[in-house]
Every structure is written in structure tokens, then in C-alpha cells.
Amino acid sequence: KGKPLDKHFPNAIDLKVFETRKSVRNIYHSPKEGYHVIISASPIIINDKLYGVVSTETDIYEVEELQEELKKAKERLQVLERQIINNSSDPFDRIIGHSKAITDKVEIAKQISPTNVAILLTGESGTGKEEFAKAIHRYSGLTGSFVPVNCGAIPSELFESEFFGYEKGAFTGARQEGKIGFFEQAKEGTLFLDEIGDMPLPMQTKLLRVLQDKRIKRVGGEKQIPINVRIISATNRDLPKMIEENEFREDLFYRINVIDIKLPSLRERKEDIVLFIDYFLKEICKENNKNILSIDNELVNLLIDYPWRGNIRELKNVMEHMVIMCRGNTITKDLLPKYMVYEKFNYINMDSFSSMDLNQSIEQLERTMIIEALKSTNGNRVEAAKLLNIPRTTLHSKMKRYNLYD
């Protein structure tokens, strides 16, 4: 108290806010070594005079603990739901579709599931890679857990503690009892490395070493812990091209890509779209305590013809939007989200554009699509980015550009 802030926290966000007079909201920050927090900060300005900065912060480990508990509860709920809804003993019955494009992939997955071979699931965003990985895990008969990890969402500073865990008192702010990492959580089970193409190179190197040695060492520990984990990775990025551009390690690629299963886009399996419509319609009505709605035939045909760049995830979000917005007993095409601007739908109205300037019109369309994607995902920016098929960082920069933050 009464001493300069930079003496204790040289990288304090408050200092930057004091200089820039601009607020920050819910960002990850490490004010000094050993401290990891989520922080929000705003300048105190009265009559254009800066009086100071107020900030609030949450220890990141408390947030992670809550997220971990929520994730476990959600997984238990999903298991119970599947047991009730699907009495079949075949986990792949949960993979919707009868088209050859998807049944061929299911046959390959069933053939390799009982082995311990590393699998790489590729394909566009929203094609159901995580659901496919879960089916492989359950079909394999492994006794351990299925542990999904979003590789692009882990700060590099937390990579080792998240993947390998840490011992009691390993660093300031660590849990008293220590923590096991993803590899130990997935013991005798499956570690699902989602979005592995977004993993930074230094983290790729550490991951490769573990996959080669099949041993980990917790942060702050000395003991080498053997691991017995099945690795399934997934990406929507072109890893061979990333290797050429020195953005992905070639040796890691061959380690995770013993078997490559490319999941088809929804455009490649149009005959399955009606099955998804029926499934999502019943599921969403039930979740929202609505009587099962009917759906107009003309709308079904429009949905079949739509390109679905966001694939299954986009279709589910669109169905959810229409079910929630429907006031009658039948879903019609006027309930489609406005962002579905496509020539076959006759939704491109030239009167809605402020000028014939192509750059301005593209910006206007882009802004509208971002707004509609955020509405369709209830403001969830991670899901909106996936729906728009752009990186989350790109979405944030475009939201800032178009002044779409609250």
C-alpha cells in the first residue's frame, strides 16, 4: 500500500490502461512470474480527468477447476442421455447418416478402433470430428476416460502444467494438492487433441517428445510417469501445407497421422441432411419443452440445397434458431436466419446495400453475417467463429473493426 504498482507487478495491466485510457475485459494475464489471472480493468475518468484505474481479477486455476467440474458433469450427462436414447451397444449408431460418404468412414473407424494406432481426423469445421472420436473411443473397449483438449485454447505458459500436471507447491498460485494433467486423466483411455493445427511450434516440440518417450514429468516433480494413452487428433487445417511453411513439425505429423480419416462435408452427403433435420428438430423441441413441430416441405428443399459451409454445426444452430423463433406449429422459410444470404434463396436484395462500391458492400455483408452468427450462437464467440469458419482471433479483430463489442 502506498508504493508504486510496478515495483510488485512490472507487467500490470492497470499501468497500460492508465496510459491508454482504454478498458480491457476478461483477458488472460500474467502480471509476474507464477501468477496467472483473468482480468478486467477500466480507467476512472471524470470530466475528462483521469483519476486512476479499477480492476478485478480471478485466479485462472479457480476458473479451470470450475470448468473441469462442469466438463465432467456434462460428460456424465451425455453418457446417461445416450444410454436412455440409444439402447444399441454400437457407439457408431450415434453417427447420423446412411450415405456412402459417411458409412465408408465408419467402417474404417470400426476396423482400427480396437488397435492402439494414432488417428488423425481431418475435414472442414463442423463435420463432427469430436463425435467421431468419441465413437472410436467407446468402440475400442478402452477402460480409461475420453479426454478432449482444444489445443488452440491453451496459453503456452500453461502448456506443461495442463498436459503434464504439477506437484504440490510447484509454483505460486498452484493448488495445495497439486494437479494431474491431461495425459494422466486419459490413462488407459483416449486423449483427443482437437484443433492440433492451432498448436504453436514450441508446444508441438514438447508434445512430440512425450509421444516418443511415452513418459511425462509433472511440473515441480522428479518422477518419470509412464503413460498408456490412445491419441486421436483432429484439424480442419492443411497440415502438409503448414509443414511446407514451417508452421507444423513434420515429425509430429507422422507421429499423429498413422491413419487419416477425412470426414465428408455436409455438401458431400446431401442425402443425410433430411436425417439431421429430423434429429435436430426432435432434440431441440424436447430440450425447450415444445411439442414436436412440423417443417414446411419448401423449407426442407431449401435446406438441402444450401451449401452449409459450417456443416453439421451450422445446420444445428439454424434448426435451433428456427425452433425457438417459431410461434405456430410449422417452421417455414421466413424463420431462416438473415445471414443465409445465397442466390438460390433470393435473399440478396440490392436495395439493402448502401452503394455499388464492392469493398463497402463486402464489408456490409461481412458485418451482417457476423451479427447473425453471434445471434445464432447466443453471443458465444468461439462457436460463432466456428460457424463462420474463421479463426477466433480473426473474429475478434473484425468485431473490433465493425464496433460490435458491447
Side-chain angles (χ1 to χ4, degrees), residues 77-106:
L77 179 61
Q78 288 173 340
V79 170
L80 290 171
E81 285 177 342
R82 282 173 172 79
Q83 289 175 347
I84 294 169
I85 296 171
N86 184 16
N87 292 323
S88 171
S89 59
D90 187 348
F92 283 98
D93 284 350
R94 291 289 296 169
I95 304 297
I96 297 171
H98 300 309
S99 63
K100 192 173 188 305
I102 193 65
T103 55
D104 283 352
K105 306 302 180 183
V106 169

Side-chain angles (χ1 to χ4, degrees), residues 63 185 193-194 231 283 361 373:
V63 177
Q185 291 176 36
L193 302 175
D194 197 11
I231 301 294
E283 181 184 59
S361 297

